[in-house]
Amino acid sequence: MTEVLLIERRNRVAIITINRPERRNAFNLEVAEKIYAAFKQFDADDTLDAAVLTGAGGNFCAGADLHALAQGEKRPFLPEGDFAPMGCTRLKLSKPVIAAVEGYAVAGGIEVAIWCDLRVAAKSAVFGVFCRRFGVPLVDLGTIRLPRLIGASRAMDLILTGRAVKADEALTMGLANRVVEDGKALETALEIAEQLSAFPQICMRADRNSALAQWDYDWDEAARREMEGGLKAIDAEAIAGASRFSGGEGRHGKF
C-alpha cells in the first residue's frame, strides 16, 4: 500500500509530505494520526530545527476526506486534548513549521496551513473555507487562528462566504508570507527553513514562543514572560553573538 505520509530530512530540516494526491491530500483518520505522530516526533528530535509541510501531486490539502466520513469512518471529535480532527492543529510545537502550498489549501487544509508558522504559496494556490457549502464546521482552530492572523473583518469574509482566495490576495491580507512561481513553493520553503536552522536556536525559539503565547496573557504578564525567555537567550547566545558582531560578522544587514 502507498504510504499516506512521507517523511524525509535535509540537514536539520524535516520534510513532511501528505501523500494522497488522488484525494487532493484530504485527511482520513490514518493521515490525521500519522501527521500528529510525525510532528510530535519532530518536536522531540534535538537534531531537527525546522519542518516543511507540503502535499504531493500539486495540492497542499483539500481538508477532511468527506468520502471517508460519508462511508462511516469514525473520527474522534474530542473537545479536549492535543489530537485534533486534522491531527496536528492543536499541537503547540517548540520549533517552526513552514507550509509549502501548491494548488488547494481549503477547508481543513487552510486550518492546517494557518497552524504553520509561515506559508509559501505558489502563484496558482487557492485558499478558502470551502467546507462552508457542505455544513462542515471549522473545528481545527480556524475560527481562532484566522482572525488573529489576518484580522477579524477579513477572517469573517472568508469564514462566512467560503469564497476562494488566490495567492496574490492571500499575500495582501497576510494569509501567505511569500508568493512564488508554480512548482517552487517547496524549494522556497526549504530555503527559509535552512535559514532558520542557521540562526541561534534558543533565541529564535524564545521569540517565537513569546509571539505565540502572548495572546493568552494580559500585557504585563506577556511582557514578563517575554523577558523571562529572553534572559535565557542572553545567557546562552547573545553575549557570544555580540562578540561575533564586534569582530565584524554580520555587518550591513548581512546574514
Side-chain angles (χ1 to χ4, degrees):
M1 293 180 64
T2 301
E3 185 58 60
V4 298
L5 198 71
L6 306 177
I7 304 172
E8 56 183 307
R9 64 180 298 157
R10 180 178 299 182
N11 300 318
R12 295 181 65 88
V13 176
I15 306 167
I16 298 175
T17 304
I18 311 157
N19 189 37
R20 297 189 78 215
E22 74 282 1
R23 291 280 190 240
R24 291 184 175 176
N25 298 318
F27 281 31
N28 59 8
L29 181 58
E30 181 185 9
V31 178
E33 291 175 338
K34 288 190 173 182
I35 202 168
Y36 170 84
F39 277 113
K40 293 273 278 193
Q41 183 176 352
F42 156 72
D43 207 43
D45 190 338
D46 291 337
T47 69
L48 292 168
D49 297 326
V52 172
L53 177 60
T54 193
N59 287 291
F60 181 74
C61 174
D65 187 343
L66 300 187
H67 293 284
L69 289 175
Q71 292 166 11
E73 180 184 74
K74 300 299 182 183
R75 302 288 286 272
F77 293 102
L78 305 174
E80 298 178 349
D82 65 358
F83 182 78
M86 294 292 287
C88 60
T89 54
R90 291 183 192 169
L91 291 176
K92 295 181 179 180
L93 304 185
S94 64
K95 298 179 280 192
V97 180
I98 303 169
V101 180
E102 303 274 352
Y104 287 99
V106 297
I110 194 175
E111 293 184 284
V112 173
I114 63 175
W115 168 75
C116 298
D117 295 87
L118 300 171
R119 285 149 299 283
V120 178
K123 282 186 174 180
S124 64
V126 176
F127 298 86
V129 185
F130 283 17
C131 49
R132 177 59 54 238
R133 67 195 69 175
F134 301 114
V136 178
L138 296 172
V139 289
D140 282 83
L141 304 180
T143 63
I144 300 165
R145 287 198 175 100
L146 263 177
R148 293 182 178 189
L149 185 68
I150 64 175
S153 179
R154 283 172 163 164
M156 200 63 75
D157 179 10
L158 271 62
I159 290 167
L160 294 183
T161 70
R163 69 180 180 86
V165 176
K166 295 183 179 179
D168 55 351
E169 184 181 5
L171 181 65
T172 299
M173 66 172 58
L175 182 54
N177 300 94
R178 309 274 200 284
V179 173
V180 297
E181 296 295 328
D182 289 346
K184 297 293 185 181
L186 177 58
E187 177 184 331
T188 303
L190 283 169
E191 289 173 357
I192 297 170
E194 293 277 12
Q195 179 185 6
L196 300 188
S197 179
F199 290 143
Q201 291 297 298
I202 295 173
C203 176
M204 185 190 70
R205 293 179 195 180
D207 286 348
R208 173 185 177 273
N209 180 64
S210 179
L212 291 171
Q214 55 91 16
W215 295 100
D216 298 333
Y217 306 108
D218 63 28
W219 184 273
D220 291 339
E221 179 63 10
R224 187 190 70 79
R225 288 173 176 268
E226 179 192 61
M227 180 58 70
E228 185 177 79
L231 286 173
K232 295 176 183 178
I234 289 170
D235 291 340
E237 295 171 341
I239 303 302
S243 297
R244 294 200 312 273
F245 177 81
S246 182
E249 183 179 329
R251 299 291 180 86
H252 309 296
K254 184 178 180 181
F255 279 76

